[in-house]
Amino acid sequence: MEKVFQYEQLYTFTHAVFIGMGCSFEHATIATKVLLSADLRGIDSHGVARLSGYVRLWQAGRINAQPNIRVIHETPSTAVVDGDQGLGLVVAPFAMEIAMQKAAAVGTGWVAVQNSNHFGIAGYHAMMALEKDMIGMAMTNASALVAPTFSNEKMLGTNPIAVAIPAQDQPPFVADFATTTAANGKLEILQRKGLDTPLGWVQDHQGQISTDANILKKDGALLPLGSDREHGSHKGYALGSIVDIFSAVLSGASYGPWAPPFPAYIPMPDNMPGKGLGHFLGAMRVDAFRPAADFKSHMDHWINRFRNAKPVEGQEKVLIPGDPEREMEVERMTNGIPLLPIIVSDLEKTGAIFEVSFNK
């Protein structure tokens, strides 16, 4: 049975763990907000369930808790940021701030990041642009767990894409999705519950479709968005490749099968061509294209029309990207965040490393 915890309790605990790792108060605050935004929005795979993973990477010397994050190349509208092996939870917001500053100055800003780590949910970083009447974009490469179409070799990460678009009276449009049929975190959730995957999520080491939630531990692979060639996996493969190239080839990070793995027990690949994981952040000032009020009014019109599209039988309504997460955030901020017992146990052990109590 799941146990429910209030946001404030999880925030205090998580912040203390990041301080225990040696993060500054400011960096611990940013990292905690990014991490818990996933739990609030119902993306449980990327929230506090990941905290112990960051700690293990820090213990292995693969996360620098006190990074010197800096711009190493820039033009008026672009920049490359070196994350100095810092928490991606901190590096990505730093880069997004630069993207927004450049957008404020010249209309758009684009920042590629090298030498970083896992940055949590992409949606958080894209949504930073909303309050400035900007469109935000965020993407990142990740551990190689995905077999390209027609391959049985893991070459790409789940490589998510997020786009956040402001509206006037309606909530913003927020698309945040992996370029795989399902993100690895969803696999981890099924593992904790002892359940199989739906068909089309994974394949075994011979390239045959499987429903084994533990298949990655048996040299299997995740499948690109679309599952197989007949259902469009070549499109998911292409999307994941674009993210890898924008995030890593463009920034000077390691790409493809050389992307640093998130689990600390997996050794780093040999002959890595770049530095750490890569991200790509973008911001576009709406009024660089048309008056912001006009655009947001038309976004309301767009959203209202789609929201009122006739639903198929058995469905209550048509959703706008971002609706489920927004509704979940309201629910969980009010009533608490549910955690599986295995996650609670993991957090207790993680807290013990730093003599930080996780009160039940």
Side-chain angles (χ1 to χ4, degrees):
M1 294 290 293
E2 293 177 326
K3 297 182 180 180
V4 177
F5 298 85
Q6 293 303 307
Y7 176 86
E8 292 76 11
Q9 178 185 347
L10 294 179
Y11 183 98
T12 299
F13 173 79
T14 303
H15 192 273
V17 168
F18 283 128
I19 291 291
M21 287 171 58
C23 296
S24 68
F25 187 90
E26 178 187 7
H27 281 188
T29 299
I30 295 169
T32 301
K33 288 179 177 178
V34 177
L35 197 67
L36 290 183
S37 70
D39 291 296
L40 284 177
R41 293 177 67 79
I43 309 173
D44 299 336
S45 57
H46 283 57
V48 290
R50 290 259 175 180
L51 184 59
S52 63
Y54 292 111
V55 171
R56 286 190 290 270
L57 286 173
W58 169 73
Q59 291 174 318
R62 284 161 53 177
I63 283 181
N64 177 6
Q66 299 180 345
N68 175 26
I69 309 168
R70 63 199 186 280
V71 174
I72 58 173
H73 178 77
E74 65 179 326
T75 72
S77 62
T78 66
V80 176
V81 164
D82 186 309
D84 195 27
Q85 288 188 287
L87 283 162
L89 304 169
V90 174
V91 176
F94 177 96
M96 191 59 179
E97 289 287 353
I98 293 172
M100 292 188 295
Q101 290 168 13
K102 290 184 176 294
V106 299
T108 67
W110 305 96
V111 180
V113 179
Q114 62 169 243
N115 207 10
S116 187
N117 280 282
H118 191 279
F119 78 177
I121 59 169
Y124 180 94
H125 312 299
M127 290 172 66
M128 288 174 63
L130 293 173
E131 63 185 38
K132 298 182 182 295
D133 276 349
M134 294 181 185
I135 295 170
M137 297 179 63
M139 56 187 78
T140 184
N141 74 335
S143 311
L145 301 172
V146 183
T149 302
F150 301 144
S151 174
N152 64 0
E153 185 177 0
K154 295 186 285 290
M155 298 291 289
L156 291 169
T158 53
N159 294 9
I161 300 170
V163 179
I165 304 173
Q168 191 75 45
D169 298 322
Q170 288 292 327
F173 174 108
V174 181
D176 181 3
F177 56 95
T179 54
T180 47
T181 302
N184 182 42
K186 290 187 177 181
L187 219 62
E188 294 170 346
I189 291 171
L190 292 178
Q191 292 168 13
R192 295 173 192 132
K193 294 181 177 180
L195 301 174
D196 288 336
T197 74
L199 280 172
W201 282 24
V202 294
Q203 67 181 32
D204 64 22
H205 71 285
Q206 295 180 323
Q208 301 301 308
I209 297 295
S210 172
T211 59
D212 184 353
N214 293 285
I215 201 69
L216 294 181
K217 301 172 184 177
K218 305 171 185 177
D219 204 28
L222 292 170
L223 291 169
L225 183 62
S227 177
D228 56 29
R229 178 64 174 80
E230 289 69 28
H231 294 92
S233 69
H234 57 292
K235 298 175 184 178
Y237 168 30
L239 284 170
S241 300
I242 290 167
V243 173
D244 198 39
I245 293 165
F246 276 36
S247 300
V249 180
L250 193 60
S251 70
S254 284
Y255 42 80
W258 296 282
F262 183 81
Y265 62 83
I266 298 178
M268 296 286 269
D270 294 328
N271 304 313
M272 296 173 70
K275 292 183 177 181
L277 283 184
H279 318 313
F280 189 77
L281 295 304
M284 295 183 285
R285 208 176 69 217
V286 168
D287 67 4
F289 297 88
R290 66 183 298 191
D294 288 352
F295 171 82
K296 292 195 293 183
S297 174
H298 279 275
M299 275 303 301
D300 279 0
H301 188 246
W302 188 98
I303 289 169
N304 280 321
R305 180 64 186 91
F306 276 76
R307 201 183 294 285
N308 288 293
K310 185 178 179 180
V312 298
E313 186 176 351
Q315 297 299 320
E316 179 183 351
K317 60 183 178 180
V318 174
L319 298 173
I320 303 301
D323 279 353
E325 294 86 354
R326 176 177 49 81
E327 292 169 5
M328 182 66 75
E329 185 167 356
V330 173
E331 156 69 20
R332 289 188 169 184
M333 189 59 87
T334 302
N335 298 320
I337 296 168
L339 299 178
L340 291 167
I342 191 170
I343 299 302
V344 174
S345 176
D346 191 43
L347 291 173
E348 290 171 343
K349 294 174 184 176
T350 300
I353 297 171
F354 306 101
E355 298 183 349
V356 176
S357 174
F358 184 79
N359 297 316
K360 299 180 182 180

